[in-house]
Amino acid sequence: MIAEAGHYALVLALGLALIQSVAPVVGARRGDVALMEMARSTAVAQLLFVGASFVLLTALHVMSDFSVVNVFENSHSAKPLLYKITGVWGNHEGSMLLWVSILALFGALVALFGGNLPVSLRANVLAVQAWVASAFYLFILFTSNPFARIAQPPIEGRDLNPILQDIGLAVHPPLLYLGYVGFSISFAFAVAALLEGRIDAAWARWVRPWTLMAWIFLTLGIAMGSYWAYYELGWGGWWFWDPVENASLMPWLAGTALLHSALVMEKRNALKVWTILLSILTFSLSLLGTFLVRSGVLTSVHAFATDPARGVFILLILCVFIGGSLSLFALRAPQLKQGGLFAPISREGALVLNNLFLTTACATVFVGTLYPLALEVLTAEKISVGAPFFNLTFGPLFVPLLLAVPFGPLLAWKRGDLLAAAQRLIAAGMAALLATAMLFAWMRGGPVLAPLAIGLAVFVVAGAISDIAERTGLFRIPLPVVLRRARGLPRSAWGTAFAHAGLGVALIGIVCETTWNSEYIATMKPDQAARVAGYELKLEGLTQRQGPNYRETLAQFSVSLDGAKFPALTPSKRSFTTRGMSTTEAALLTRGASQLYVSLGDVAADGGIAVRIYHKPLVLLIWWGPVLMAFGGVLSLSDRRLRVGAPKPARAARALQAAE
């Protein structure tokens, strides 16, 4: 009965979404407050029903109810409890249920915390949200029912894909979906504004917190996915330009541009048309990522579904929402009034430059990702677009962007002074030049671009520090006054500094890891030693161990550096008999921000084992940077100015009663 109850709850959620799709729009047209307010109650009720459906599917996985197709295909009775729970969304059907659950969650949040929104705008936003939800409810119920039964239940399940049996599955997909689906709110606000034919600075203030929240989650989701691939796949890389990786990068780039353009719109009531377009495109790129993962057009570690019927259904959803929203944009955009003017050299101008480079980078990734698919459809010719293309096109676009990043916060609104901003960045520039010169002296040859890139990264980090120093008067006024000014700074200013600094930190990690990493790849036997970057690793022996649902070969390496001993490293190779697949569990030795990385290959006939040993200097900065950026986003989100959209309408005062 649990599966049937979950399916019924999903059907009821669809019914509520359909009501929410129609009634508020009709109410907004007629000026009927009762119909418009219906959007709030239906949004909350929809969350309750789809949440119940998700909880019931989780219960089926925990109970190992193999009479349900989804549980049979993706679970095993011997699988650890954590992976039984995370396995709920480690497949197509379950992940789509998580997708719509998060969509309903964001809709309910708007309903509960959107009390300061105009009633008609809130009604239209929730209606647009329900349109998207209804489409995906129909997709799940007709093509991807997670509660489908098996007539003759088997005794045991087929187990979850071994690669997904990792703590990363508990973190990466939920964070990524919170980012993807979070942008649906920006999309809904844009379509609602187009339906009403009115957009102003207040609209930008309302949409920015939701956009920022989605951007924070997407940043963390991409970073976590990168780190998961790094330690789980055994190849020691952190980014492969996989088409599905690119599909997550594109909405991040567009969302970053949207955050900055919405800021210009809020401050100067400018870039209205562009901000609306970015809101539509950002969520459209999120939908595109959903299509790529679930259509079967790609072969990827991320791909869940290979059913052409599902691909056609999602493609139809894409055409309806992307095509419909862009058509509405084309119809209404000419009617939108342009806002205030500003000089090219100004903070607004810097933010426009930021948007130019970000959207161009996004377009580059878009072309590189979809061109092979388009070519195959048109000519049946198969080609691959990999790292060389993206490195030569994507990388150079970020160089001028990073050069401009420290200048933006130091320029005045409307009309800025570039020379004055440059003077405030003299210390940052000197720090960058010093770092570059020191690296050239240390290298004594080698790659020329690496020290320059490090210098650029230092300039970005030091520029963020210079912005705070300038605002607080550091080194110019007494320290107590500086501290008082620092406490009084808006949290958004601190958030901007942390986010920009995080960008520089990540760049340092990328350059150091790609330029100065060391590797040792060979077949080793017990008592044999290897040297990498000064470390000596000795293979002490191999042992066999039985896990809950796998058998693994465990290697033990002793590690020393200049006579100093370190904890032993124990990489392993796991074999999952049910699936007939194997995974590599890398061992990591972390020293500061650098790591020693050891992974195993196959066992040779002579008793040796293939070993990969890498030393990756400052590799952790690659992920510390995005965490720092997300922290900056959280600080900005906590700024009071982002929590205040428009004043709530005052309640009508009660008429005074006459004294008896």
Side-chain angles (χ1 to χ4, degrees):
M1 287 297 292
I2 296 178
E4 287 72 23
H7 185 266
Y8 186 57
L10 199 57
V11 173
L12 290 177
L14 169 62
L16 289 166
L18 292 174
I19 296 171
Q20 187 183 328
S21 301
V22 178
V25 178
V26 175
R29 288 287 182 182
R30 295 179 178 179
D32 190 328
V33 177
L35 285 177
M36 288 189 284
E37 288 292 345
M38 188 182 291
R40 303 182 74 177
S41 56
T42 51
V44 175
Q46 186 192 144
L47 173 63
L48 293 176
F49 281 110
V50 72
S53 181
F54 185 82
V55 169
L56 291 172
L57 181 61
T58 305
L60 291 170
H61 275 260
V62 171
M63 295 163 55
S64 297
D65 186 348
F66 299 121
S67 67
V68 177
V69 176
N70 184 263
V71 181
F72 165 70
E73 293 285 347
N74 301 283
S75 192
H76 192 278
S77 59
K79 190 169 66 172
L81 178 61
L82 174 63
Y83 302 145
K84 286 183 179 180
I85 297 173
T86 58
V88 174
W89 56 83
N91 57 86
H92 170 71
E93 293 82 3
S95 66
M96 288 309 304
L97 187 56
L98 176 63
W99 206 96
V100 294
S101 298
I102 294 174
L103 187 66
L105 172 63
F106 275 99
L109 289 175
V110 173
L112 294 172
F113 299 103
N116 60 347
L117 296 173
V119 179
S120 62
L121 178 62
R122 184 177 63 222
N124 283 323
V125 167
L126 291 174
V128 174
Q129 194 78 352
W131 298 348
V132 179
S134 299
F136 280 96
Y137 285 137
L138 290 170
F139 171 72
I140 293 173
L141 289 169
F142 283 103
T143 70
S144 310
N145 182 12
F147 300 101
R149 290 281 195 180
I150 300 176
Q152 296 181 344
I155 299 175
E156 192 55 83
R158 295 184 59 190
D159 207 357
L160 181 66
N161 186 335
I163 295 175
L164 301 179
Q165 295 189 38
D166 186 84
I167 189 65
L169 186 61
V171 183
H172 170 57
L175 287 175
L176 205 64
Y177 285 6
L178 284 166
Y180 277 162
V181 180
F183 285 125
S184 67
I185 299 294
S186 307
F187 172 82
F189 267 97
V191 174
L194 291 173
L195 289 172
E196 292 192 350
R198 184 177 65 88
I199 181 172
D200 50 21
W203 180 92
R205 179 166 293 187
W206 289 319
V207 80
R208 275 187 65 211
W210 300 102
T211 305
L212 185 56
M213 188 186 304
W215 181 86
I216 292 168
F217 284 123
L218 187 57
T219 301
L220 293 174
I222 294 173
M224 182 61 214
S226 171
Y227 190 66
W228 184 16
Y230 165 75
Y231 73 77
E232 176 65 25
L233 298 182
W235 62 297
W238 50 272
W239 193 263
F240 192 63
W241 294 108
D242 179 278
V244 182
E245 290 177 341
N246 297 347
S248 66
L249 181 61
M250 286 187 287
W252 185 87
L253 292 169
T256 306
L258 174 59
L259 280 176
H260 292 85
S261 70
L263 180 61
V264 175
M265 185 176 166
E266 180 187 343
K267 294 289 186 180
R268 300 292 304 152
N269 202 24
L271 302 183
K272 293 181 180 180
V273 175
W274 177 243
T275 304
I276 289 285
L277 180 60
L278 275 180
S279 300
I280 294 172
L281 291 180
T282 301
F283 183 59
S284 299
L285 291 170
S286 298
L287 290 178
L288 178 65
T290 304
F291 169 73
L292 291 176
V293 174
R294 301 170 200 287
S295 61
V297 300
L298 295 176
T299 301
S300 167
V301 69
H302 300 87
F304 281 137
T306 57
D307 187 355
R310 292 171 175 172
V312 171
F313 201 118
I314 295 180
L315 188 60
L316 183 62
I317 293 175
L318 259 69
C319 292
V320 169
F321 286 104
I322 298 177
S325 58
L326 290 177
S327 299
L328 180 63
F329 172 79
L331 183 66
R332 291 296 186 109
Q335 303 173 14
L336 298 177
K337 295 180 179 180
Q338 296 297 325
L341 301 175
F342 51 86
I345 304 299
S346 62
R347 191 175 300 188
E348 295 95 331
L351 293 172
V352 170
L353 186 69
N354 158 292
N355 270 232
L356 175 64
F357 284 112
L358 284 173
T359 51
T360 305
C362 182
T364 300
V365 178
F366 180 86
V367 171
T369 303
L370 294 187
Y371 175 72
L373 299 177
L375 188 67
E376 185 177 353
V377 170
L378 295 175
T379 66
E381 182 182 354
K382 291 188 177 182
I383 66 168
S384 62
V385 176
F389 168 80
F390 292 106
N391 292 340
L392 289 173
T393 55
F394 184 84
L397 287 171
F398 259 69
V399 173
L401 175 62
L402 292 171
L403 281 171
V405 161
F407 286 89
L410 294 172
L411 290 171
W413 292 102
K414 194 175 181 179
R415 187 179 302 275
D417 188 338
L418 187 61
L419 181 60
Q423 289 174 342
R424 297 187 187 103
L425 289 171
I426 289 177
M430 291 178 63
L433 290 173
L434 182 61
T436 304
M438 290 175 63
L439 280 171
F440 271 120
W442 172 71
M443 288 170 53
R444 298 179 181 178
V448 176
L449 293 180
L452 296 175
I454 295 290
L456 178 59
V458 171
F459 179 63
V460 173
V461 176
I465 298 172
S466 297
D467 177 35
I468 297 298
E470 185 67 26
R471 289 172 178 267
T472 58
L474 187 64
F475 305 124
R476 298 199 314 267
I477 59 178
L479 184 59
V481 181
V482 171
L483 295 176
R484 189 164 60 250
R485 283 190 176 184
R487 288 194 298 269
L489 278 182
R491 292 182 183 178
S492 59
W494 286 103
T496 300
F498 274 104
H500 289 176
L503 194 62
V505 169
L507 179 58
I508 293 173
I510 292 169
V511 174
C512 291
E513 193 278 332
T514 53
T515 305
W516 295 296
N517 71 87
S518 307
E519 67 177 26
Y520 175 90
I521 303 175
T523 299
M524 297 181 65
K525 294 181 178 180
D527 297 326
Q528 189 175 345
R531 285 189 170 273
V532 178
Y535 289 91
E536 183 177 285
L537 292 91
K538 183 180 179 182
L539 178 59
E540 300 293 345
L542 300 173
T543 56
Q544 300 291 325
R545 190 170 66 181
Q546 182 65 47
N549 59 334
Y550 60 85
R551 186 170 181 82
E552 69 176 342
T553 300
L554 196 73
Q556 183 166 349
F557 288 85
S558 60
V559 184
S560 62
L561 176 66
D562 299 329
K565 298 288 186 179
F566 295 94
L569 295 177
T570 54
S572 65
K573 188 87 171 181
R574 293 178 178 177
S575 177
F576 294 77
T577 54
T578 304
R579 283 269 182 168
M581 297 174 63
S582 60
T583 63
T584 299
E585 301 296 320
L588 302 171
L589 174 64
T590 302
R591 294 191 69 199
S594 302
Q595 284 189 330
L596 194 63
Y597 182 110
V598 185
S599 65
L600 302 180
D602 296 326
V603 178
D606 60 355
I609 190 167
V611 176
R612 291 174 176 262
I613 304 174
Y614 302 97
H615 178 255
K616 297 182 173 292
L618 302 183
V619 67
L620 290 181
L621 296 185
I622 296 174
W623 303 290
W624 290 356
V627 170
L628 202 60
M629 293 164 68
F631 177 69
V634 172
L635 285 178
S636 295
L637 192 61
S638 66
D639 194 303
R640 182 179 178 275
R641 291 180 298 177
L642 280 187
R643 300 195 304 271
V644 178
K648 294 183 179 181
R651 295 183 178 179
R654 291 185 178 179
L656 295 175
Q657 301 292 326
E660 296 182 357

